[in-house]
Amino acid sequence: MFPGKFITLEGPDGAGKSSVIAELTAYLEGQGHQVLTTREPGGVPIAEEIRRVILDVDHIAMDPRTEALLFAAARRQHLVEVILPALRQGKIVLCDRFVDSSLAYQGMARDIPVDLIWSINQFAVEDQLPALTLLIDVPAEVGLARIHQARGQRQYDRLDQESLDFHNRVRQAFLDLAQASPERIKVIDGQAPLDQVVAACIDVLHQHAL
């Protein structure tokens, strides 16, 4: 056990996780907490290089299992360089995506057995899972519309270009994960205005003594 608190935000593409993380960081810092915000894949130079390879729109030939292994490799480096040191220092870590994303995207949505995805990620993270996960839920159509509206303001990557059916499967996978782990994963309606989404997240944080 570490003195810090590990919290992840998950959700389909276009759910608005980055905006929510920025607001939650400001709130928690205002409450006197030390907060570290980070993202996956990425967060450290090695993992950012892996992110570039994974999301490159020209890498359409990437095999789904190669993709899964690259995500797990980036996650391991990120964990040991950023997340664990921050938790040892007593910080709250707010991370945009973690293992649940691999289970949803590379497992359920890509039809790779989830136990295989979990196995390679268990090797990567050992037993370090988030204490709390906020699942910002939006229909795939809403998320994709937001992505298209924001083109030029955010990276439009290889996964963004997947079919609507793929993104629908990702969303359902997240909801299935939440149903399987209701104590850890809390579903937040991401279609509400940002201030309401943030308020709902803060209510959950209060329930977890933050």
Side-chain angles (χ1 to χ4, degrees):
M1 292 293 291
F2 298 108
K5 190 95 166 183
F6 184 23
I7 300 171
T8 56
L9 278 83
E10 296 281 7
D13 289 296
K17 299 185 302 332
S18 298
S19 298
V20 173
I21 285 177
E23 295 291 329
L24 291 180
T25 300
Y27 170 77
L28 290 167
E29 289 178 342
Q31 298 295 305
H33 297 284
Q34 285 188 300
V35 182
L36 178 123
T37 62
T38 189
R39 69 173 184 177
E40 289 204 347
V44 295
I46 292 173
E48 289 289 341
E49 282 296 306
I50 298 173
R51 177 189 181 93
R52 183 185 59 77
V53 172
I54 292 172
L55 300 182
D56 192 320
V57 295
D58 293 328
H59 292 169
I60 58 174
M62 185 177 294
D63 180 80
R65 295 195 183 207
T66 300
E67 182 182 276
L69 289 164
L70 287 172
F71 271 110
R75 180 163 296 128
R76 175 64 185 178
Q77 195 66 33
H78 182 225
L79 179 72
V80 297
E81 277 199 61
V82 172
I83 295 173
L84 293 180
L87 293 176
R88 291 187 186 102
Q89 294 165 12
K91 295 179 181 179
I92 294 175
V93 176
L94 294 180
C95 186
D96 186 341
R97 299 199 182 283
F98 198 62
V99 171
D100 294 307
S101 277
S102 284
L103 298 176
Y105 281 82
Q106 285 73 56
M108 301 174 192
R110 296 237 189 262
D111 292 323
I112 300 175
V114 173
D115 60 333
L116 295 181
I117 300 296
W118 171 240
S119 178
I120 63 173
N121 277 278
Q122 190 174 36
F123 176 73
V125 305
E126 297 175 85
D127 293 322
Q128 188 61 57
L129 289 176
L132 173 66
T133 296
L134 301 170
L135 172 56
I136 313 300
D137 175 54
V138 295
E141 296 88 345
V142 172
L144 291 176
R146 290 176 177 177
I147 288 169
H148 285 290
Q149 289 170 3
R151 292 214 33 190
Q153 303 171 38
R154 72 184 290 280
Q155 181 184 17
Y156 188 65
D157 60 47
R158 189 173 58 85
L159 294 181
D160 292 334
Q161 299 180 38
E162 291 285 354
S163 68
L164 176 60
D165 177 66
F166 175 85
H167 288 283
N168 276 325
R169 281 183 281 135
V170 167
R171 184 205 183 192
Q172 188 58 53
F174 276 124
L175 294 175
D176 290 347
L177 289 169
Q179 187 173 30
S181 301
E183 293 302 312
R184 176 175 67 85
I185 305 176
K186 306 299 181 181
V187 181
I188 306 293
D189 179 9
Q191 294 189 84
L194 178 60
D195 61 338
Q196 294 180 25
V197 175
V198 172
C201 290
I202 290 173
D203 284 345
V204 173
L205 294 180
H206 285 166
Q207 294 169 22
H208 284 72
L210 286 174

